[in-house]
């Protein structure tokens, strides 16, 4: 096949940085990630992981929580402080650690609890890629690159949000769910619908994830997060964006 045609038909190339200190898990993940990614780099310590994460752009970072050197949470926090929006998929060993990840507003895009099935992890990875591609795609025809509601302004093409002119830093998933809400003002979304539409895969039993996520989003965009005016709670059902 013509090389140019071949490259045009190939899905966009993906690069993944895997930060994981357990060689067996790293080997297994590299093997499977290699099927959908052109480049899979491996860092076995926290320091190496942070250095390589900062060294160049990546399409995804898979980050173990417990690492020698720097803890996964600190790596994530430092990358977000650098204003890096790289998608981060966190690997946690215990549900108590998971609670910590969710409790801290550090901006992971997703998480998987060990032990996990490779199929599940790959489904999460592909869902993150799909979301990022959808965000990167220029909106066509009827859609607009600029969404506005009250003082809230979303620049879809640039992946930027501002409230009353002040820039707000959102994770990829926060941006995605906010775009979802702003695009459908007044519509009620159940937690299960949000999981399905924003997270993009079956997430049974993780509806509390939506609550934590919405609370983090509110803390960033609402003038008074305790009395939200944009993302409203519909008791017993879910959430809706103010019409
Ligand atoms: Ca570990």
């Amino acid at each position: 096949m013509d090389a140019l045609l071949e490259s045009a038909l190939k899905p966009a190339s993906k690069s993944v940085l895997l930060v994981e200190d357990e060689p067996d898990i790293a080997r297994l993940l590299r093997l499977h990630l290699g099927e959908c990614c052109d480049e899979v780099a491996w860092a076995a310590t926290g320091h190496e992981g942070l250095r390589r994460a900062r060294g160049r752009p990546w399409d995804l970072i898979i980050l173990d929580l417990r690492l020698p050197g720097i803890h996964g949470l600190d790596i994530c926090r430092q990358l977000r402080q650098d204003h890096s929006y790289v998608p981060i998929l966190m690997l946690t060993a215990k549900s108590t650690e998971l609670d910590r990840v969710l409790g801290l507003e550090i901006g992971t895009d997703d998480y998987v609890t060990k032990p996990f099935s490779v199929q599940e992890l790959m489904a999460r990875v592909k869902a993150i890629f799909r979301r990022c591609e959808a965000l990167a795609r220029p909106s066509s025809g009827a859609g607009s690159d600029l969404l506005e509601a009250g003082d809230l302004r979303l620049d879809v093409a640039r992946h930027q949000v501002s409230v009353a002119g002040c820039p707000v830093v959102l994770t990829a998933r926060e941006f995605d769910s906010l775009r979802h809400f702003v695009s459908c003002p007044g519509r009620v979304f159940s937690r299960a619908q949000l999981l399905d539409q924003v997270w993009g895969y079956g997430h049974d039993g993780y509806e509390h994830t939506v609550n934590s996520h919405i609370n983090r989003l509110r803390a960033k965009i609402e003038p008074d997060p305790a009395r939200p005016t944009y993302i409203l709670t519909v008791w017993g059902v879910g959430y809706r964006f103010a019409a």
Side-chain angles (χ1 to χ4, degrees):
M1 197 191 292
D2 180 82
L4 204 64
L5 180 62
E6 197 172 8
S7 70
L9 290 174
K10 231 178 116 189
S13 67
K14 298 290 181 202
S15 61
V16 177
L17 174 63
L18 173 64
V19 188
E20 165 64 76
D21 58 313
E22 289 170 68
D24 289 346
I25 294 181
R27 199 176 304 121
L28 183 71
L29 290 185
R30 291 179 81 187
L31 188 71
H32 284 83
L33 288 164
E35 290 168 13
C36 69
C37 307
D38 299 76
E39 187 185 354
V40 185
W42 176 37
T45 68
H47 288 288
E48 192 195 346
L50 183 59
R51 186 181 57 78
R52 298 192 71 171
R54 283 173 161 163
R56 49 157 282 191
W58 299 92
D59 293 304
L60 174 67
I61 296 177
I62 300 179
L63 187 59
D64 188 29
L65 205 58
R66 290 180 172 218
L67 292 162
I70 311 176
H71 196 274
L73 286 179
D74 293 321
I75 293 177
C76 188
R77 197 179 290 120
Q78 290 192 41
L79 290 174
R80 294 309 185 220
Q81 277 170 3
D82 294 347
H83 297 290
S84 163
Y85 304 104
V86 61
I88 296 177
L89 174 66
M90 196 72 102
L91 305 178
T92 75
K94 295 183 300 211
S95 56
T96 48
E97 285 185 336
L98 175 60
D99 290 342
R100 247 187 100 201
V101 171
L102 293 175
L104 293 166
E105 293 173 12
I106 51 162
T108 53
D109 291 87
D110 206 351
Y111 55 84
V112 172
T113 311
K114 290 179 177 178
F116 52 81
S117 78
V118 173
Q119 285 73 19
E120 186 192 0
L121 186 118
M122 290 308 297
R124 304 287 180 96
V125 167
K126 285 170 186 167
I128 289 175
F129 286 159
R130 275 198 303 275
R131 269 203 314 280
C132 295
E133 277 165 14
L135 284 173
R137 207 175 295 137
S139 55
S140 56
S144 166
D145 279 353
L146 215 56
L147 295 169
E148 286 180 301
D151 284 340
L152 200 62
R153 193 178 158 99
L154 274 82
D155 185 332
V156 176
R158 293 194 172 84
H159 209 278
Q160 288 171 347
V161 178
S162 65
V163 179
C166 299
V168 177
V169 177
L170 299 184
T171 66
R173 174 159 290 155
E174 285 165 353
F175 185 88
D176 203 15
S177 47
L178 184 59
R179 187 173 73 155
H180 213 69
F181 274 117
V182 177
S183 305
C184 310
R187 185 173 153 193
V188 177
F189 294 100
S190 71
R191 289 176 182 81
Q193 275 174 333
L194 287 170
L195 279 172
D196 196 43
Q197 291 165 9
V198 178
W199 274 252
Y201 48 83
H203 225 103
D204 289 347
Y206 287 98
E207 294 192 3
H208 66 275
T209 304
V210 177
N211 300 352
S212 322
H213 174 78
I214 295 291
N215 287 338
R216 283 195 295 275
L217 189 52
R218 278 173 170 165
K220 293 182 179 181
I221 64 159
E222 297 281 358
D224 178 1
R227 278 176 295 178
T229 51
Y230 290 117
I231 301 175
L232 310 176
T233 301
V234 182
W235 295 106
V237 184
Y239 300 96
R240 74 180 169 83
F241 195 80

